Amino acid sequence: MLWKDLFKKEQEKEYFKSLEEFLSLEEKQYTVFPPHDQRFSAFELTPFKEVKVVIIGQDPYHGEGQAHGLSFSVPMGVKLPPSLKNIFKELETDLGCEGPTSGNLKGWAQQGVLLLNTVLTVRKSEAGSHQKKGWENFTDSVVANLNEQCEGLVFLLWGAPAQKKGKSIDRQRHLVLEAPHPSPLSSYRGFFGCKHFSKTNEYLIHQNKKPIDWCLFL
């Protein structure tokens, strides 16, 4: 399977045609994030056959210059959002990674970490504005294909929406790790101390796969 095969199959479906119409209208009237050419960055940086880990986010960031197509990630030079700060705090506690100078997680993506948002676009300054327009169908298909066609993946599901998205994952074939969302509202309820990064690497090694260098961001 290649991403382009999945894309081609989904683009022929009615929901995707409706989604494209909606996005075309949105882009004429509003600012939409991430920029059009970065919408599918997660798939460009992490080919299907190289996926080892899937981190499922929600909406892209809706602030100016934040979203660039990778869940939880921001471009170099952009101030760290609170959730990403907490991810880095847990990373430091779990693996001793020192706080990075950048919130760009491209280095993870290039090692096989698919940074997948549930919805791939958002209207500027309006969180949730592109929910229930078709993206959820598309990302459901992404998760379903990874679940069916791959062996020994790790799915990191942080927060209720990600956990709902992962209900259909075969836990006999893949490792599913769940924790509260890393946002300041919920991180103290169990995200801190979850040790998902070290647990992921232990599992990958057990699967005879190269572990992720979580301290390598760019």
mmCIF file of all heavy atoms in Angstrom, residues 49 66 80 95 102 165 190 218:
data_model
loop_
_atom_site.group_PDB
_atom_site.id
_atom_site.type_symbol
_atom_site.label_atom_id
_atom_site.label_comp_id
_atom_site.label_asym_id
_atom_site.label_seq_id
_atom_site.Cartn_x
_atom_site.Cartn_y
_atom_site.Cartn_z
ATOM 1 N N LYS A 49 4.672 2.422 4.264
ATOM 2 C CA LYS A 49 5.449 1.227 4.624
ATOM 3 C C LYS A 49 6.465 1.485 5.731
ATOM 4 O O LYS A 49 7.048 0.551 6.279
ATOM 5 C CB LYS A 49 6.158 0.673 3.384
ATOM 6 C CG LYS A 49 5.185 0.089 2.369
ATOM 7 C CD LYS A 49 5.893 -0.410 1.128
ATOM 8 C CE LYS A 49 4.899 -0.980 0.126
ATOM 9 N NZ LYS A 49 5.547 -1.408 -1.136
ATOM 10 N N GLN A 66 0.981 28.462 13.121
ATOM 11 C CA GLN A 66 1.236 27.293 13.980
ATOM 12 C C GLN A 66 1.133 25.954 13.237
ATOM 13 O O GLN A 66 2.010 25.110 13.336
ATOM 14 C CB GLN A 66 0.245 27.292 15.153
ATOM 15 C CG GLN A 66 0.443 28.404 16.169
ATOM 16 C CD GLN A 66 -0.568 28.298 17.300
ATOM 17 O OE1 GLN A 66 -1.780 28.231 17.075
ATOM 18 N NE2 GLN A 66 -0.083 28.283 18.526
ATOM 19 N N LEU A 80 5.972 27.476 21.635
ATOM 20 C CA LEU A 80 5.403 26.162 21.917
ATOM 21 C C LEU A 80 3.994 26.286 22.485
ATOM 22 O O LEU A 80 3.791 26.953 23.508
ATOM 23 C CB LEU A 80 6.267 25.396 22.930
ATOM 24 C CG LEU A 80 7.720 25.088 22.573
ATOM 25 C CD1 LEU A 80 8.346 24.216 23.655
ATOM 26 C CD2 LEU A 80 7.834 24.401 21.226
ATOM 27 N N LEU A 95 12.564 9.939 29.331
ATOM 28 C CA LEU A 95 13.790 9.548 28.638
ATOM 29 C C LEU A 95 14.964 10.500 28.841
ATOM 30 O O LEU A 95 16.042 10.280 28.295
ATOM 31 C CB LEU A 95 13.509 9.414 27.131
ATOM 32 C CG LEU A 95 12.582 8.269 26.712
ATOM 33 C CD1 LEU A 95 12.302 8.331 25.226
ATOM 34 C CD2 LEU A 95 13.187 6.915 27.068
ATOM 35 N N SER A 102 13.026 23.967 19.503
ATOM 36 C CA SER A 102 11.983 24.086 18.481
ATOM 37 C C SER A 102 10.874 23.078 18.741
ATOM 38 O O SER A 102 11.118 21.992 19.283
ATOM 39 C CB SER A 102 12.574 23.838 17.096
ATOM 40 O OG SER A 102 11.552 23.665 16.130
ATOM 41 N N LYS A 165 -11.291 7.206 18.286
ATOM 42 C CA LYS A 165 -10.793 6.922 16.942
ATOM 43 C C LYS A 165 -10.103 5.550 16.886
ATOM 44 O O LYS A 165 -10.119 4.878 15.854
ATOM 45 C CB LYS A 165 -9.777 8.007 16.556
ATOM 46 C CG LYS A 165 -9.406 8.049 15.100
ATOM 47 C CD LYS A 165 -10.334 8.968 14.366
ATOM 48 C CE LYS A 165 -9.911 9.181 12.941
ATOM 49 N NZ LYS A 165 -11.002 9.786 12.168
ATOM 50 N N GLY A 190 -2.979 11.946 34.411
ATOM 51 C CA GLY A 190 -2.372 10.686 33.987
ATOM 52 C C GLY A 190 -1.511 10.751 32.752
ATOM 53 O O GLY A 190 -0.857 9.766 32.404
ATOM 54 N N LEU A 218 14.205 17.687 14.857
ATOM 55 C CA LEU A 218 14.342 18.215 13.493
ATOM 56 C C LEU A 218 15.264 17.330 12.647
ATOM 57 O O LEU A 218 16.230 16.821 13.157
ATOM 58 C CB LEU A 218 14.912 19.627 13.533
ATOM 59 C CG LEU A 218 13.884 20.750 13.681
ATOM 60 C CD1 LEU A 218 14.561 22.072 13.908
ATOM 61 C CD2 LEU A 218 12.991 20.831 12.452
#
